[in-house]
Amino acid sequence: MKLNFNNVIPIYIQIADAIEDDILSGKLKEGENCYSQIQLAKELNINPATAAKGIRVLVERGVLQKVRGQAMTVNQDAVSMIKQRKMDQMLSELIQNLVSEAKKLDIGMNELTVRLHQCYREFDE
């Protein structure tokens, strides 16, 4: 796991994203223990509170389960939850940018829809 300390993205968000990437890649599996805040802090040379904040983001998203007195575990549905959240985020950003540019160029909904269908079909060929 690598962090970019010069990035505008907060360190704790980079930690959460990196853990999600490890889950998607299979490095961390559903139902298994996740990294501890102490382990992350030592490995990344960061404050344990920052590591804890990154883990807390994933608990709030439902990706990690916090059971009192036990290690943090990866939720059984973590992969599908991460994929759904990333897909929603990506599509939202792409569609907002597409519509914004289309409006600037006076491209109507029908033209945009025709072009989208055409492009989608070309990928199937």
Side-chain angles (χ1 to χ4, degrees), residues 64-108:
L64 298 179
Q65 288 182 318
K66 187 176 184 179
V67 179
R68 190 174 182 167
Q70 296 181 3
M72 191 76 59
T73 60
V74 179
N75 189 312
Q76 290 295 338
D77 298 325
V79 171
S80 63
M81 290 169 39
I82 294 166
K83 286 181 178 181
Q84 185 65 49
R85 186 187 62 76
K86 286 183 176 262
M87 182 186 70
D88 290 346
Q89 181 181 357
M90 179 203 60
L91 286 175
S92 178
E93 290 172 11
L94 286 172
I95 291 168
Q96 285 178 8
N97 289 336
L98 178 64
V99 170
S100 175
E101 290 301 312
K103 292 270 189 189
K104 289 179 194 173
L105 299 171
D106 292 323
I107 299 171

Side-chain angles (χ1 to χ4, degrees), residues 29-91:
K29 298 194 181 335
E30 294 175 338
E32 291 185 350
N33 291 346
C34 184
Y35 315 119
S36 71
Q37 72 183 52
I38 302 300
Q39 181 184 6
L40 287 170
K42 285 180 183 178
E43 180 184 324
L44 302 171
N45 197 28
I46 59 170
N47 187 311
T50 303
K53 196 171 180 180
I55 290 170
R56 192 168 37 252
V57 167
L58 296 179
V59 170
E60 290 168 2
R61 289 179 185 169
V63 172
L64 298 179
Q65 288 182 318
K66 187 176 184 179
V67 179
R68 190 174 182 167
Q70 296 181 3
M72 191 76 59
T73 60
V74 179
N75 189 312
Q76 290 295 338
D77 298 325
V79 171
S80 63
M81 290 169 39
I82 294 166
K83 286 181 178 181
Q84 185 65 49
R85 186 187 62 76
K86 286 183 176 262
M87 182 186 70
D88 290 346
Q89 181 181 357
M90 179 203 60
L91 286 175

